[in-house]
Amino acid sequence: MYNSDLQKQANALVKSYKIKDTGFQERLTANLDDIHNHFQALYGDSPLFTDLIQTIFNAYTERSLELKKLDESKAKKEENWFLSQDLVGMSLYVDRFAGKITDLPAKIPYLEKLGVNFLHLMPLFKSPEGESDGGYAVEDFRVVEEKLGTIEDLRAFQKALQQKDMYLMIDIVLNHTSHHHEWAKLAKAGIKEYQDYFYMYDDRRIPDAMEETMPEIFPESSPGSFTYDEKLDKWVMTVFHHYQWDLNYTNPKVFIEMLANVFYYANLGVDVVRIDAPAFIWKQMGTSCQNLPEAHQLLQLIKMCVEVATPGMAILGEAIVAPAQIMEYFGTGRFATHECDFAYNATQMAVQWDALATGDIRVMHHAQHELVRKPKGATWLTYTRCHDDIGLGYDDWMIEQSGFNPYDHRTYIKNYYSGGIESPAVGALFAVNPKTQDARLSGSLASLCGLEKAISSKDAAAIQTSINKITLMQAQSMFVGGVPMLFYGDEAAYTNDYSYLQDSGKSYDNRWMHRPLIDWKKNAAVDEPNTVENRVFTNLQKLIKLRKSLKVVADLKNIHWLEVHNNSIIGFERYLKGEKVYFLFNFSAQPQEVTYYMLGAFGERATVMKDLWSGKTIQIGMDHDHLAFNPYQFYVLK
Ligand code: GLC
């Protein structure tokens, strides 16, 4: 409902800030009522609503003219700028990839050579050595970690990227802070106001009751969800590691302070902000404390505020949860596409690893019923590997409908990748829960695809097979819809690195085995013909080039999954304005065949097609004729 008092107050502010930009005023008018309603739903009639509005105005007035122009040019695009097939990203740790932020520009030519034009810099802000969780335990949201450089270095790097039409993503760790953050220190000093920034209890009564329904995130290294703090003589909520204190978003001050941090990043020129662990930001007794309706309301509130003040910055929600739950982070009902612009396609990632282990694509196929519901205008971040573990978090029914027993099926996959059974893969179980036997998986793309074993046994055929698997997995992430996000090191075939075991700040967390320390001598081998590095790199380079050349790959809700009638081969059609391209992937170690019948499911099929991957021309036969696949082969048929 239109609230005229509210609009009058806003108009007065527009005047007092001397804002002339009609775009801002329109965006404010369009969002103000919803911002107010959402805030009220969460915080009642808190007088801090005025602070919220002030925060939005400050963010807008502090935004540079240059960034405002960029906002305008992004808004003028026919479709949301981030839906384009031109984007290809890479996640990297500044120190492990290059050294300092000031060392990054020298690496841009390498990234350009590969085709990457979107960088996710892993957490950059001050974080205590040894208790940092790879930077996800933040001590100060506005001070860059000393070993990486300064905020000025970051600003300069953003400008350098912008000049090259490259995009930047960084994290906002919204759910928690390090216990060394100023707020935590003030809380430890006994200041009640700051104790209310966190969840803390005098005894175990509430923690015990809450833990009944809260799943453990790191059951091995940080069991439980509360940590006793001696100084406070209280139990503090620590859902992740014991040194990561959960922020209390029932306190509107916390929300407004963190929103101001989001805006601070927006005004650094960040194109996408990755909201870390958004599923966890609202807690309620008797629930899993994940994916609660209030968490969505908070995210929508952030999105609307960003839409008003810094509209060029998109939001990625890192919700690694069950498929149906992930979908909700795009917003639902009237707020569809008004929550997160991007979500990780964690389901697709996991079913890729499922299919690779089993040689059977049925679970992947069933998962798509859920995933195709993504609203037009929002997009996926598609990935095969990232800095985190692989969780087999898809639904049991997807496994059951494929004819498998969910428990046995997951056990098989975990064993396949962690050495429990004979397989080409080398990886490890991560976060094994002794109570439920639940576990996730660690390991690099190359090692999980068999390269580590193949190299150590000097088996040329196995090396080629593992390269084929790596390429198959990357190809699917490249074309399935969304922005592919590569993980640094994977382009140069880095296998697991076990040196983390020698570092006491990392040895408790085996995710470090797949977070390599880049050795630029090894990376130089990407230019030496026929090295493993070169073969992996050039395949990826070719995939990226192909992606960018195909308009049908833009993420415009233009995908049909095919019924190919072969349990090892999965395929989809991407289409746009009369153009069609078919993508077909063989996940098995055996040669396979499919009949041409499947190509006619969505309209007439061509008589001659070209495989854009191999360059070969293919005469399409009769319905009952076959298209043949080698093990792990894929086709891009136009
Ligand atoms: C996210 C990060 C992960 C981290 C966790 C806690 O899931 O990706 O690396 O451990 O949040 O911040």
Side-chain angles (χ1 to χ4, degrees):
M1 233 187 48
Y2 183 77
N3 181 335
S4 62
D5 278 352
L6 200 60
Q7 297 288 349
K8 269 187 210 141
Q9 282 167 31
N11 290 342
L13 272 174
V14 168
K15 257 200 196 130
S16 77
Y17 274 82
K18 299 195 174 70
I19 296 173
K20 297 274 161 5
D21 177 356
T22 51
F24 172 81
Q25 294 176 44
E26 281 165 20
R27 298 194 302 271
L28 183 64
T29 308
N31 286 287
L32 194 57
D33 283 341
D34 284 329
I35 291 177
H36 184 245
N37 292 343
H38 270 51
F39 186 84
Q40 211 172 34
L42 292 161
Y43 302 118
D45 285 326
S46 164
L48 289 182
F49 184 69
T50 323
D51 296 39
L52 171 65
I53 297 298
Q54 204 87 50
T55 305
I56 297 174
F57 272 77
N58 290 344
Y60 174 76
T61 44
E62 280 157 20
R63 194 157 179 81
S64 71
L65 218 58
E66 204 184 350
L67 289 176
K68 285 177 183 162
K69 278 200 188 125
L70 209 61
D71 291 342
E72 273 172 36
S73 76
K74 281 177 177 167
K76 276 196 194 118
K77 302 231 157 111
E78 198 183 326
E79 304 288 350
N80 285 338
W81 62 273
F82 45 79
L83 303 178
S84 163
Q85 77 282 1
D86 275 331
L87 265 71
V88 177
M90 181 185 277
S91 282
L92 57 88
Y93 291 96
V94 173
D95 53 342
R96 301 177 83 75
F97 181 76
K100 291 175 142 260
I101 294 172
T102 47
D103 297 317
L104 285 173
K107 305 300 181 206
I108 289 183
Y110 174 84
L111 298 167
E112 283 179 320
K113 180 166 64 183
L114 184 59
V116 164
N117 53 8
F118 174 30
L119 291 189
H120 170 209
L121 302 185
M122 297 296 292
L124 298 165
F125 292 89
K126 196 165 187 281
S127 181
E129 184 75 39
E131 288 190 339
S132 120
D133 187 19
Y136 286 104
V138 181
E139 195 177 327
D140 192 321
F141 289 102
R142 300 196 184 194
V143 174
V144 169
E145 178 60 50
E146 210 181 316
K147 67 173 183 208
L148 305 178
T150 65
I151 201 84
E152 284 69 39
D153 297 340
L154 184 56
R155 281 183 206 279
F157 183 60
Q158 185 277 329
K159 288 226 165 72
L161 287 181
Q162 197 183 314
Q163 266 158 20
K164 292 190 159 282
D165 287 326
M166 292 172 91
Y167 298 96
L168 176 64
M169 172 160 93
I170 67 171
D171 287 82
I172 178 90
V173 187
L174 208 65
N175 179 65
H176 45 258
T177 70
S178 155
H179 68 136
H180 289 298
H181 188 281
E182 186 67 30
W183 301 335
K185 283 188 192 155
L186 292 168
K188 284 188 204 186
I191 301 175
K192 171 87 174 71
E193 186 188 349
Y194 288 95
Q195 294 185 349
D196 291 344
Y197 273 47
F198 302 96
Y199 294 94
M200 41 185 76
Y201 305 96
D202 293 334
D203 55 45
R204 284 285 316 177
R205 269 175 299 176
I206 293 177
D208 280 343
M210 290 190 83
E211 278 181 357
E212 293 268 311
T213 52
M214 290 171 83
E216 290 171 280
I217 309 303
F218 298 131
E220 289 169 310
S221 57
S222 267
S225 298
F226 293 84
T227 301
Y228 179 70
D229 186 90
E230 254 176 50
K231 198 138 187 236
L232 280 165
D233 186 24
K234 284 181 198 292
W235 290 88
V236 183
M237 187 187 284
T238 55
V239 168
F240 290 87
H241 292 101
H242 62 86
Y243 50 77
Q244 289 163 312
W245 284 16
D246 285 65
L247 285 166
N248 179 357
Y249 280 93
T250 64
N251 179 352
K253 273 191 202 157
V254 170
F255 173 70
I256 291 166
E257 296 244 34
M258 291 305 289
L259 177 68
N261 287 329
V262 170
F263 280 139
Y264 181 75
Y265 295 170
N267 283 342
L268 288 173
V270 166
D271 297 285
V272 183
V273 71
R274 175 189 183 275
I275 298 189
D276 186 61
F280 297 84
I281 57 179
W282 197 271
K283 279 84 176 178
Q284 197 183 321
M285 173 77 81
T287 72
S288 66
C289 296
Q290 291 182 34
N291 308 310
L292 294 178
E294 291 85 352
H296 290 288
Q297 242 162 0
L298 272 171
L299 294 169
Q300 287 162 12
L301 192 50
I302 294 175
K303 173 66 186 166
M304 290 187 283
C305 296
V306 165
E307 246 165 30
V308 175
T310 60
M313 183 177 74
I315 294 178
L316 161 66
E318 186 248 352
I320 312 299
V321 292
Q325 257 97 52
I326 297 181
M327 303 307 294
E328 295 189 348
Y329 287 84
F330 295 119
T332 47
R334 194 161 71 78
F335 291 94
T337 72
H338 293 285
E339 192 170 320
C340 296
D341 302 291
F342 284 83
Y344 276 85
N345 201 340
T347 306
Q348 176 60 26
M349 178 280 294
V351 293
Q352 273 199 321
W353 290 106
D354 179 304
L356 193 76
T358 58
D360 190 310
I361 54 74
R362 281 177 289 176
V363 178
M364 181 185 289
H365 199 77
H366 285 118
Q368 306 310 325
H369 293 289
E370 198 64 60
L371 306 181
V372 294
R373 291 172 38 233
K374 176 169 64 60
K376 186 166 182 223
T379 196
W380 292 115
L381 193 133
T382 58
Y383 64 119
T384 293
R385 280 308 283 119
C386 72
H387 71 288
D388 276 332
D389 46 286
I390 300 167
L392 307 176
Y394 36 95
D395 296 315
D396 283 356
W397 68 260
M398 295 169 181
I399 304 176
E400 275 159 5
Q401 287 198 0
S402 308
F404 304 116
N405 169 294
Y407 181 82
D408 296 344
H409 185 78
R410 288 202 177 87
T411 305
Y412 172 81
I413 293 167
K414 284 182 274 188
N415 282 333
Y416 180 94
Y417 290 116
S418 66
I421 53 173
E422 186 54 37
S423 94
V426 182
L429 295 179
F430 173 72
V432 181
N433 188 322
K435 288 169 224 150
T436 60
Q437 290 311 310
D438 252 5
R440 292 145 23 213
L441 292 157
S442 283
S444 69
L445 172 66
S447 291
L448 294 175
C449 285
L451 191 62
E452 187 173 330
K453 251 189 201 171
I455 290 177
S456 70
S457 58
K458 300 197 174 66
D459 180 340
I463 290 176
Q464 188 54 50
T465 301
S466 72
I467 294 176
N468 294 346
K469 289 187 195 174
I470 291 170
T471 310
L472 173 90
M473 300 284 270
Q474 300 276 42
Q476 213 192 22
S477 295
M478 206 58 75
F479 302 123
V480 74
V483 176
M485 183 59 74
L486 309 168
F487 189 57
Y488 82 109
D490 287 347
E491 82 290 358
Y494 274 75
T495 52
N496 293 341
D497 174 353
Y498 303 101
S499 63
Y500 76 98
L501 290 166
Q502 265 67 61
D503 178 340
S504 64
K506 298 191 170 78
S507 56
Y508 60 88
D509 185 343
N510 71 19
R511 289 176 299 175
W512 287 99
M513 77 168 62
H514 56 250
R515 299 170 177 175
L517 196 58
I518 294 302
D519 166 5
W520 285 93
K521 276 194 226 106
K522 174 175 164 68
N523 289 49
V526 304
D527 292 326
E528 277 169 49
N530 299 322
T531 57
V532 170
E533 291 82 358
N534 171 264
R535 284 147 73 196
V536 170
F537 189 92
T538 49
N539 281 351
L540 191 52
Q541 196 179 34
K542 189 173 152 194
L543 282 175
I544 293 175
K545 224 173 162 184
L546 187 53
R547 170 181 159 92
K548 291 186 182 178
S549 73
L550 293 174
K551 283 229 160 62
V552 290
V553 175
D555 192 17
L556 303 168
K557 219 170 162 60
N558 48 342
I559 186 165
H560 284 144
W561 288 81
L562 303 170
E563 294 293 342
V564 302
H565 307 290
N566 177 317
N567 289 344
S568 293
I569 298 191
I570 190 135
F572 49 80
E573 175 195 289
R574 303 293 313 266
Y575 55 93
L576 192 68
K577 297 181 182 147
E579 197 182 329
K580 281 186 194 177
V581 182
Y582 297 88
F583 299 86
L584 294 153
F585 306 84
N586 178 11
F587 273 84
S588 92
Q590 311 302 325
Q592 298 288 342
E593 288 179 341
V594 295
T595 60
Y596 290 113
Y597 173 75
M598 49 103 200
L599 294 177
F602 302 100
E604 234 172 284
R605 58 168 207 251
T607 48
V608 184
M609 292 184 113
K610 190 168 175 191
D611 175 19
L612 301 178
W613 177 245
S614 66
K616 287 189 187 138
T617 301
I618 296 174
Q619 299 293 330
I620 305 297
M622 309 283 280
D623 274 356
H624 57 270
D625 287 331
H626 291 95
L627 175 66
F629 289 75
N630 290 322
Y632 305 113
Q633 186 183 353
F634 63 92
Y635 286 99
V636 178
L637 297 178
K638 185 170 170 172

